[in-house]
Amino acid sequence: MHRLYYSPGACSLAPHIVLEEIGIPYALELRSARNAEGTSTPEYLALNPKGRVPALAGVPGSAGGATGLLTEAPAILFFLARSHPQARLLPGDPAAEARCLEWMNWLSGTVHGQSFGQIWRAQRLTGNPTQHAAIIAKGEENLGGQYAYVEALLADGRDWAVPGQYSIADPFLLVFWLWGQRIGIDMAGRYPAWAKLSARILARPAVQRALEQERVSVAAPPA
């Protein structure tokens, strides 16, 4: 049985949703900086030296840390979708599958790693606290351009992130919708196409179950 190490509302929410979509038994383990069992404890670092979530136990192989532990949200999402094809969470067409990976790589590496890293983790980029405000401001500028790009892509009338099929890219996009709300962006007002997609994702029972389990409150966008 898989065990998902997560923090409420973090990017680990997307694999959590996918586990619910697949419908297999799994265990959750909370790892949050807001409690005593965070990601920087010796116990967790021995398991996952990256000291991050998500991490998924029960996957053959190792890339450092515990044997059987898979890290990185795109890799976890891809593994879950490929190993449970009956859930139809990954397009069968190679080009569409590549588009799904394109979404996830960009969201993880650029939107998350770059912009939200600047906004939420300026201390990781410089040891000089006087530079933090400038780094945060640049992150907000970068994010504005990236969110506008997402909106432009979704405004072509597509039904899902990869047209024609709900896939693992959609719950990952939902994470960044929720993060936009968290930092005070008027997501529904500024990004109507993204709002429409997010409403469709939030209406899925698996998504509702994952949000309830993590006790994440959501201001639902207009359908």
Side-chain angles (χ1 to χ4, degrees):
M1 185 171 68
H2 293 303
R3 176 178 296 272
L4 179 68
Y5 297 87
Y6 80 104
S7 180
C11 60
S12 50
L13 174 62
H16 188 179
I17 290 170
V18 168
L19 284 164
E20 284 291 327
E21 295 278 7
I22 291 169
I24 60 173
Y26 67 93
L28 287 173
E29 183 163 323
L30 178 64
R31 288 284 164 176
S32 172
R34 295 187 294 273
N35 65 31
E37 299 298 330
T39 57
S40 60
T41 64
E43 175 196 5
Y44 189 68
L45 290 174
L47 182 73
N48 177 15
K50 293 178 179 177
R52 302 283 189 274
V53 294
L56 184 71
V59 182
S62 175
T67 299
L69 190 77
L70 182 65
T71 62
E72 307 299 330
I76 293 170
L77 291 166
F78 184 73
F79 166 78
L80 289 171
R82 282 295 300 271
S83 56
H84 298 87
Q86 74 283 357
R88 300 188 69 249
L89 295 173
L90 195 65
D93 175 72
E97 181 183 75
R99 294 299 178 185
C100 189
L101 294 174
E102 182 180 35
W103 268 116
M104 295 193 301
N105 287 350
W106 179 70
L107 290 170
S108 179
T110 301
V111 182
H112 186 179
Q114 180 194 82
S115 299
F116 276 103
Q118 291 172 302
I119 294 169
W120 283 339
R121 300 288 187 268
Q123 72 276 8
R124 291 180 181 169
L125 302 177
T126 178
N128 184 350
T130 65
Q131 298 175 342
H132 289 180
I135 291 172
I136 292 169
K138 184 60 177 175
E140 291 171 343
E141 178 186 338
N142 290 336
L143 190 69
Q146 291 154 6
Y147 273 29
Y149 180 71
V150 171
E151 177 67 16
L153 289 176
L154 300 179
D156 66 359
R158 67 184 65 193
D159 50 354
W160 301 106
V162 178
Q165 180 181 342
Y166 176 78
S167 72
I168 50 177
D170 293 295
F172 207 32
L173 259 177
L174 179 65
V175 168
F176 296 93
W177 169 272
L178 298 176
W179 286 4
Q181 288 185 334
R182 188 186 303 180
I183 64 173
I185 299 174
D186 177 12
M187 294 297 294
R190 292 177 62 177
Y191 308 112
W194 198 354
K196 184 178 179 180
L197 175 65
S198 297
R200 295 190 69 196
I201 298 168
L202 286 165
R204 297 179 68 87
V207 177
Q208 291 296 317
R209 291 194 297 270
L211 291 169
E212 182 178 358
Q213 289 165 19
E214 295 194 14
R215 300 181 180 178
V216 173
S217 298
V218 177

